[in-house]
Amino acid sequence: MKRNLTALLPALGLAILLFHGWHGAIAATQAGVLFAEFPLPDANGQPRYLIATGPGELWFTLPGTSAIGRLVVTTTADYAFTRYDTPTPNSQPDHLVYLDGRIWFTEYGANRIGALDIASGQITEYVLPSPDSRPTGIDALPNGDIWVVTEAADSIVRRTVTGAMTEFTDPLLIGALLSDVEAEDEDTIWLAAPGRNELYSYWPNRAVKLVKNFPGPLSKPYQIDRNLNRPWIIDTGQDYIGRFAPGTLTLWRWYPVNATGVGLADIFYRNVPGGRQVWFTERDANRISQMTLDGTTGAISQFWRQPLPESDSLPTGVAVDDAGTVWIALSGRNKIMAWLAPYYDFPNQLYLPAARYD
């Protein structure tokens, strides 16, 4: 381990810890299924959500130490961790997104959004319009707009590339406890509202629209990922994975995870040849799962649920990089974990749950 550079860069609030020769703990939990674990030096970092900006390059929030972390992995024995402290103490960074050389993130405990310039390591913070609004989800559009949702203020905030910040509210959002946002384009913004048991689409400067036909009154859409105009959600209330399917009779296609109380925490979607893959974390069940769907019918062709090597790992964020490696934030173990392709070496399914169409 090379020496901590925090003292050399106090103005940046930057800590760099490089690891060379530290072996990630690799464990074969099933035939050919490999995990590589990368312990973080921050004792209480509790990594929450993460994104992959390249093969083996991860950015993640560290709410326990009010920082943004970066992990660059060359091999399981050669990797580097960098910590960027937020200017505001106890800021509790939550979600994050990448746009044009900057990592944008919400500061749940500081009523701010932050922008980390990757080249310089500088973090700039912007105060949100409503006090104590508890920002959660964040997304970005190619035009430079940053979209944020707040849990306490029941509001949507847009920051344009010019720096103008506007807050939007609607009676439909009262008590929504907004948890995530996905910006499809300049006209359609998707909102997860677990407090109202609903998913909304927001048309800027026009209206908030309820997306109906949910499976039941206990549904709690929590996190969103998107494929074109078709959001995928995790429904923590009924333990479903849901795909919005406009043009169909019911508007939704539901995939039960065949377990209850698993604590669905995050979702990642990607296209693969001939189909789709959806990855999700089961925080309370200490598992990571992967669902492969036929690209034509939408039926499940493979469902793989993998217990994690250590108990109480509390898997939260999940992302897949361009090389196909699955990355998971383990809040309970203060680690970032890689699930290495091919993930398993035999074709058996753990189970094949039927899709729901009603």
Side-chain angles (χ1 to χ4, degrees), residues 215 230-235 238-245 252-259 262 264 267 269 276-278 280 282 290-303 305 351-358:
R230 301 191 176 189
W232 289 79
I233 67 166
I234 52 174
D235 181 346
Q238 298 195 136
D239 294 301
Y240 288 162
I241 303 297
R243 172 178 176 251
F244 182 55
W252 284 92
R253 178 170 289 179
W254 296 102
Y255 302 92
V257 302
N258 281 19
V262 299
L264 295 173
I267 184 172
Y269 171 93
R276 313 178 183 101
Q277 281 184 340
V278 180
F280 54 95
E282 301 179 44
Q290 178 243 319
M291 183 188 299
T292 300
L293 309 171
D294 183 274
T296 302
T297 66
I300 297 173
S301 58
Q302 172 77 52
F303 196 117
R305 170 177 281 155
Y351 58 84
L352 288 176
R356 277 190 49 159
Y357 302 97
D358 55 349

Side-chain angles (χ1 to χ4, degrees), residues 106-129:
T106 53
E107 298 183 56
Y108 182 84
N111 199 51
R112 290 167 165 79
I113 57 174
L116 165 61
D117 184 277
I118 292 175
S120 67
Q122 293 273 10
I123 291 178
T124 305
E125 295 178 320
Y126 306 94
V127 179
L128 295 180

Side-chain angles (χ1 to χ4, degrees), residues 108-181:
Y108 182 84
N111 199 51
R112 290 167 165 79
I113 57 174
L116 165 61
D117 184 277
I118 292 175
S120 67
Q122 293 273 10
I123 291 178
T124 305
E125 295 178 320
Y126 306 94
V127 179
L128 295 180
S130 291
D132 301 319
S133 63
R134 300 291 185 184
T136 51
I138 188 169
D139 201 9
L141 285 173
N143 68 358
D145 284 357
I146 304 298
W147 287 91
V148 176
V149 291
T150 69
E151 182 184 86
D154 298 323
S155 65
I156 315 157
V157 179
R158 176 175 63 191
R159 185 187 186 277
T160 68
V161 70
T162 65
M165 196 176 294
T166 309
E167 186 172 40
F168 308 91
T169 59
D170 188 277
L172 281 176
L173 299 181
I174 296 174
L177 301 176
L178 295 169
S179 58
D180 200 14
V181 59

